[in-house]
Amino acid sequence: MNIPAFEPVDALLIVPALSAVILAFLSGYRLTSYVNFVSSGVAFFFACALLFHRPAAGNYLFVDDLNVVFVVLSTFIGFTTSAYSASYIGHEIETGKLSPAHVRFYHAMYQSMMFAMNLALLANNIGLMWVAVEFATLTTVLMVGIYRTPEALEAAWKYFILGSVGIALALFGTILVYMSAEPVLGEGYDAMVWTSLMQHAPAFSPRLLNVAFVFLMLGYGTKVGLVPMHAWLPDAHAEGPTPISAVLSGLLLNVALYAVLRFKMLLAANTAAIAPGPLMIALGLASLIFAGFMLYRRDDIKRLFAYSSIEHMGIITFAFGMGGPLANFAGLLHMTMHSLTKSAIFFAVGHIAQVKGTQKLANIRGLTESHPVLGWALVAGVMAIAGLPPFGVFMSEFLVVSSTFARQPLLAIPLAFGLLVAFGALLMRLIELAFGEPSESIGEVEASVVPLYFHLALVLLVGLWLEPHVAAWFQNVAASLG
Amino acid sequence: MENLSFDVAHLLAGGLVLVSFTLLYQNRMTGLINIFTLHAIVLSLSVAWQAYSQHAPHLYLTAAIAVLFKAVIIPLSLQRIMVRLRIHRDIEVVGGVGMTMLLGICLVALSLVVMLPATAAADPLAREDLAFALSVVLLGLLMMVTRRNAISQVIGFMSLENGLILAATGAKGMPLVVEISVAFSVLIAFIVIGIFLFRIRERFDTVDIQELDRVRGGRR
């Protein structure tokens, strides 16, 4: 019998799947959160191994320049979030908000979600990718509803229904892609495998691909949180446990975006099909401007940052829609910066909501005075996400705007407008939150600030000095995106 | 023989669109579930016919899943849930039947206009199937938009999903169809369990959790 060689790709799926099973049977939150932390760390280690060793593409899994970026980023944030989640969940147990049974369930689901996301990113098959995205949706729905409050259940239900409709539309698009490939590649697996699809894309029927892309864009776009399919996103972020808000913004949105990008590359390879760019630009700008205005009327701190996620996904979709090496580079960098910064903000917000006992913006005041460690981290995070120098987000936003100015000056006007609107809203909220007379706190929390400051330090580092190897790597990927 | 195969497939797929229209105006919950059962049966017949005419035995499995899961288990459990939630005799106000039907016709026309030119190169059977499948998907979406009751919405979603299965089986030799139909069944099972556990009556407005607490009361 031929035993296949051990590959880090397989480990990226096996480790989370196995730990999910183990965690389902372990009890005691200290032990389970430790296991969760260790297995997320191991997954991150194997993701880094992919940078140095790349296996040959199979019928089901493959690794290329594009998905390595996504895999490394999402396992990294999965790892740091698992560290944060340990202290967050500890506090929730002490205050009796979650029972030990819920925590066991939560950890098993956390690893299942990591499994599904890795599978979606590594899948070499459009059908398998769809199944993985669906599975990731299910696991996050279950985690969003974990508090069992009416609001949490409502948020989970809304997310469930809208997400299901989204992935149903995406499946229709997937079937259409298969049908356009079938006359060229023949029946069977070949016509669903990314690597062969990309090779033969120029021969596919362009009209069928056009219709397919509209469905895929709307379907996966729902999961990216693009306006007007965004309605689930703020609720899911606000009502679930905060580590889940961090992974939703940091990972899940990216995974859906990855699917959109892959299909965009497919269409770009077929010169007779419509250009996918304009649709992405339109949805991106709509998300940016709509979310920018919505930021002014929020009264819940987690909802505020959820709308900011919609805004940033809009910017990223816009950048990828513009296309070309520079805009793609900016989009990729912005996606990385947004994931790091937004998860850091949610780390801070989670502990802040725990010490203040509320998520209402009106009841959170003067954080830098009452909780300097968390307060100043929030100040740094919000300044970063609003796009102030010297943070990395400033650099990537600047690149998006300047590359747009160079090619389509007219589009740069609504883009800059949307950025300024969001900037104003975030700064206004930040001043209320961070300075002035501190509001009442209900208790103390053993905050884990290491992941928080680590993320912010990375964002700052990129803003000051983008390491040449990383820059070359991203440029390489950006060029392949077309 | 070639012609007969085409005609039967056409008949069954067209029948599915027709049943979708019937779903649109059902205002009684029991009637809705019965029509949905019919929808699932027509789907599984259509899938079985595809399995026969494409010589694809694995599609029989998809047809069997459709019959067993969607025509037996789901209707029965929805029936029970409605009795438990005491809404089985409810009449849902379906606003503007005429308007909804007109919209439905427009959607079918739209899907024909979109799909037929786009699939000019594909074989005629797949073409028509795809146009019908898109009609069923759009009619399902229309139903989800026009209904407020959670169960009607779920039935809308399931009919939408039947359209997708029709499209997937119509695409010749598409792999993973069985896996996809299993994945969808899991999704739907979760939705139904969700309704049952959390007493979800209306889409986003009422989640009657008081009832849930009372049921659990003994254990706390």
Side-chain angles (χ1 to χ4, degrees):
Chain A
M1 208 180 117
N2 189 6
I3 298 169
F6 176 77
E7 291 284 357
V9 184
D10 303 330
L12 268 173
L13 301 176
I14 295 169
V15 169
L18 255 186
S19 1
V21 175
I22 296 172
L23 284 168
F25 291 102
L26 285 180
S27 55
Y29 91 89
R30 270 177 210 287
L31 177 66
T32 47
S33 46
Y34 187 68
V35 172
N36 192 32
F37 173 69
V38 169
S39 93
S40 305
V42 173
F44 175 55
F45 170 78
F46 282 117
C48 291
L50 286 182
L51 290 174
F52 305 103
H53 169 80
R54 202 164 289 178
N59 243 354
Y60 292 99
L61 300 179
F62 82 132
V63 181
D64 71 351
D65 286 333
L66 177 61
N67 64 10
V68 159
V69 179
F70 282 83
V71 169
V72 171
L73 181 66
S74 63
T75 47
F76 173 70
I77 292 177
F79 175 49
T80 48
T81 307
S82 70
Y84 165 73
S85 150
S87 74
Y88 181 87
I89 292 296
H91 188 267
E92 296 297 273
I93 288 202
E94 277 167 27
T95 51
K97 277 191 180 159
L98 283 177
S99 74
H102 281 145
V103 171
R104 187 155 90 182
F105 177 75
Y106 165 85
H107 281 130
M109 280 301 134
Y110 189 91
Q111 288 298 327
S112 311
M113 176 196 72
M114 293 308 292
F115 164 78
M117 289 195 192
N118 288 343
L119 183 63
L121 293 174
L122 293 167
N124 192 13
N125 182 305
I126 51 176
L128 188 63
M129 183 172 87
W130 179 84
V131 172
V133 172
E134 191 227 287
F135 189 54
T137 309
L138 267 184
T139 53
T140 40
V141 164
L142 291 173
M143 287 193 283
V144 165
I146 204 164
Y147 285 127
R148 300 285 189 274
T149 56
E151 293 80 18
L153 289 177
E154 188 181 317
W157 181 251
K158 199 164 167 179
Y159 175 27
F160 200 2
I161 292 294
L162 286 173
S164 303
V165 171
I167 54 179
L169 294 181
L171 178 63
F172 196 77
T174 306
I175 296 169
L176 291 180
V177 170
Y178 169 80
M179 290 205 48
S180 72
E182 189 245 13
V184 182
L185 290 165
E187 291 175 18
Y189 279 98
D190 254 6
M192 290 187 104
V193 169
W194 276 123
T195 37
S196 56
L197 283 176
M198 286 309 294
Q199 259 172 21
H200 297 95
F204 296 168
S205 144
R207 302 185 82 164
L208 210 49
L209 275 184
N210 292 348
V211 181
F213 186 72
V214 173
F215 278 97
L216 290 162
M217 187 71 218
L218 291 179
Y220 286 122
T222 308
K223 302 230 46 157
V224 182
L226 295 176
V227 173
M229 300 87 75
H230 66 284
W232 63 273
L233 193 145
D235 288 24
H237 277 68
E239 304 303 340
T242 312
I244 298 313
S245 318
V247 285
L248 275 176
S249 268
L251 307 185
L252 194 72
L253 305 186
N254 290 352
V255 171
L257 186 72
Y258 166 81
V260 172
L261 280 182
R262 278 275 175 214
F263 286 108
K264 183 205 166 218
M265 284 166 77
L266 192 67
L267 253 80
N270 187 319
T271 43
I274 42 159
L279 185 60
M280 293 175 75
I281 289 177
L283 287 174
L285 274 183
S287 311
L288 166 64
I289 292 171
F290 174 80
F293 280 110
M294 292 306 276
L295 284 173
Y296 285 90
R297 299 187 59 95
R298 294 309 102 196
D299 55 358
D300 180 306
I301 187 166
K302 282 167 82 178
R303 251 170 234 272
L304 177 75
F305 291 112
Y307 273 100
S308 150
S309 287
I310 299 178
E311 178 220 334
H312 284 275
M313 291 324 276
I315 299 173
I316 298 163
T317 312
F318 174 85
F320 285 126
M322 287 298 294
L326 190 57
N328 281 338
F329 177 80
L332 214 55
L333 188 66
H334 193 66
M335 186 192 79
T336 315
M337 291 301 105
H338 170 250
S339 292
L340 290 171
T341 317
K342 189 52 67 60
S343 42
I345 288 178
F346 274 117
F347 294 166
V349 165
H351 283 320
I352 288 166
Q354 283 177 332
V355 291
K356 295 290 184 189
T358 175
Q359 291 180 195
K360 289 271 165 269
L361 282 167
N363 300 335
I364 306 175
R365 288 278 179 268
L367 281 169
T368 48
E369 211 161 298
S370 59
H371 299 86
V373 179
L374 288 172
W376 284 109
L378 187 73
V379 171
V382 177
M383 278 169 63
I385 208 76
L388 280 175
F391 292 99
V393 180
F394 167 73
M395 196 170 80
S396 54
E397 280 185 358
F398 181 76
L399 277 174
V400 175
V401 175
S402 62
S403 68
T404 311
F405 250 118
R407 289 171 48 202
Q408 299 278 347
L410 276 181
L411 280 178
I413 297 167
L415 176 70
F417 172 73
L419 285 173
L420 285 176
V421 168
F423 177 83
L426 285 170
L427 257 301
M428 191 180 86
R429 290 291 179 219
L430 178 66
I431 289 166
E432 292 167 4
L433 283 171
F435 306 107
E437 193 70 18
S439 62
E440 203 180 329
S441 315
I442 58 154
E444 278 313 306
V445 60
E446 259 183 68
S448 65
V449 291
V450 178
L452 169 57
Y453 277 91
F454 190 54
H455 277 200
L456 289 174
L458 275 178
V459 175
L460 184 62
L461 178 71
V462 172
L464 295 174
W465 176 69
L466 186 58
E467 210 271 332
H469 283 99
V470 176
W473 176 28
F474 275 27
Q475 269 162 1
N476 199 11
V477 179
S480 77
L481 275 170
Chain B
M1 191 58 210
E2 220 11 62
N3 257 335
L4 178 71
S5 153
F6 178 81
D7 286 342
V8 173
H10 211 147
L11 173 75
L12 290 171
L16 202 64
V17 177
L18 213 62
V19 181
S20 277
F21 269 107
T22 328
L23 276 176
L24 277 180
Y25 64 80
Q26 285 302 319
N27 54 4
R28 280 175 195 280
M29 296 312 277
T30 357
L32 198 61
I33 290 181
N34 290 340
I35 300 286
F36 175 71
T37 313
L38 182 65
H39 203 266
I41 291 171
V42 174
L43 172 79
S44 65
L45 282 177
S46 165
V47 173
W49 185 257
Q50 293 282 4
Y52 169 74
S53 62
Q54 289 181 26
H55 308 291
H58 65 278
L59 288 186
Y60 284 118
L61 195 61
T62 311
I65 294 174
V67 155
L68 194 73
F69 190 71
K70 280 185 235 148
V72 180
I73 299 178
I74 289 286
L76 282 181
S77 38
L78 283 182
Q79 206 77 266
R80 286 198 54 178
I81 290 174
M82 288 196 311
V83 174
R84 288 277 188 87
L85 297 185
R86 291 180 215 92
I87 54 173
H88 55 296
R89 265 190 266 279
D90 280 18
I91 295 171
E92 192 182 7
V93 185
V94 186
V97 173
M99 207 54 212
T100 318
M101 296 308 258
L102 265 181
L103 265 175
I105 293 169
C106 292
L107 289 177
V108 174
L110 176 77
S111 65
L112 291 176
V113 168
V114 168
M115 289 320 301
L116 290 182
T119 51
D123 72 307
L125 179 57
R127 277 181 81 181
E128 312 250 317
D129 245 16
L130 212 57
F132 281 133
L134 182 59
S135 312
V136 175
V137 168
L138 293 179
L139 289 175
L141 271 180
L142 180 64
M143 185 166 164
M144 290 184 78
V145 175
T146 52
R147 302 290 180 126
R148 292 196 65 75
N149 182 310
I151 290 185
S152 328
Q153 278 207 319
V154 168
I155 288 179
F157 179 71
M158 289 191 292
S159 73
L160 184 161
E161 188 245 315
N162 284 351
L164 290 172
I165 301 286
L166 182 71
T169 51
K172 236 177 167 185
M174 180 162 148
L176 292 174
V177 172
V178 180
E179 287 83 347
I180 284 172
S181 63
V182 170
F184 254 130
S185 306
V186 172
L187 189 71
I188 286 172
F190 266 97
I191 296 182
V192 172
I193 294 169
I195 295 185
F196 180 67
L197 279 185
F198 303 124
R199 306 289 197 265
I200 296 167
R201 288 204 181 115
E202 293 220 327
R203 59 178 166 190
F204 306 140
D205 316 300
T206 29
V207 183
D208 191 356
I209 197 151
Q210 239 66 54
E211 190 119 2
L212 179 67
D213 284 344
R214 217 181 55 225
V215 174
R216 277 199 187 157
R219 276 198 283 151
R220 279 226 176 121

